[in-house]
Every structure is written in C-alpha cells, then in structure tokens.
Amino acid sequence: MEGLYVIQRIDNLKTVSVSLNKGVKPEEIDSLGNIATRRELSPCDLDHLRELEDDFTKTLFDSDPNKIFMVQEIPNFEWNPNTKNDYLKTDIVNKDLPNCK
C-alpha cells in the first residue's frame, strides 16, 4: 500500500493517499530501527533512537502539514487488504535489555 494512510470518504468514495515528503523523516530513524528489530542495538543506542523518534514526532506536530505531507487522489480505489501482522516494535523486542549506563 502506498503512503502512510489511505483515507476514503463514505459519501462520494473519494480516496486519497497521505505520504511524508522526501527528507522529512531522518534516515537515521529507519536505519537504527532496522538494527533494533534484529536486537543488535546497545541500550544507549536504543535511548538515542527513542530520542530521535520523539524529536521527529514533535517536528510533525509543530510543522505546517502542507510542507511535510503529500496527498494524492487514488481513483477507483478498492480496499483489498493484504495484512501480515508481522510488524516488530523495537521497544517490545528489546524490552529485556538493561538500562543505558
């Protein structure tokens, strides 16, 4: 599925995809997140990742949505979900790590 979200109006079935513009999300978040899902980050690096994610969330809240999101209409959209439910949460897979020292 393209985008972060797909939004569809019920009354006219107009559907749009909402995506982040290129360069909005720091690449380091995805890079460290991939390492964290393999349980290869140190406790201090996990704390750093959490700080990056918190800063990114604040940036999203504080920014002009027109500058950070792209909205594209999806003509003739039909919902055909192909969910796998295999998304790993870094805080869950690393819950047994000690605190950063």
Side-chain angles (χ1 to χ4, degrees):
M1 180 172 73
E2 294 290 323
L4 296 171
Y5 300 102
V6 171
I7 303 168
Q8 185 176 57
R9 287 181 55 159
I10 294 174
D11 61 343
N12 65 7
L13 300 180
K14 180 179 179 179
T15 308
V16 297
S17 169
V18 180
S19 304
L20 280 175
N21 287 330
K22 298 278 186 213
V24 172
K25 184 178 181 183
E27 292 179 16
E28 189 176 12
I29 290 176
D30 288 335
S31 175
L32 289 174
N34 288 333
I35 298 168
T37 57
R38 295 191 308 262
R39 298 185 54 122
E40 297 174 356
L41 273 186
S42 72
C44 293
D45 287 336
L46 275 173
D47 286 351
H48 176 64
L49 173 58
R50 187 173 303 115
E51 289 171 5
L52 289 171
E53 292 170 333
D54 289 346
D55 290 345
F56 177 58
T57 299
K58 183 173 179 358
T59 297
L60 292 177
F61 284 133
D62 295 344
S63 297
D64 178 356
N66 294 310
K67 293 182 180 179
I68 58 174
F69 294 108
M70 176 177 48
V71 178
Q72 285 187 283
E73 187 169 351
I74 306 172
N76 305 314
F77 178 78
E78 288 186 34
W79 177 246
N80 294 310
N82 184 14
T83 58
K84 294 187 267 181
N85 298 321
D86 63 354
Y87 176 76
L88 295 175
K89 292 190 46 75
T90 57
D91 58 338
I92 301 300
V93 297
N94 292 287
K95 67 183 178 184
D96 296 330
L97 285 181
N99 291 329
C100 175
K101 293 182 184 197

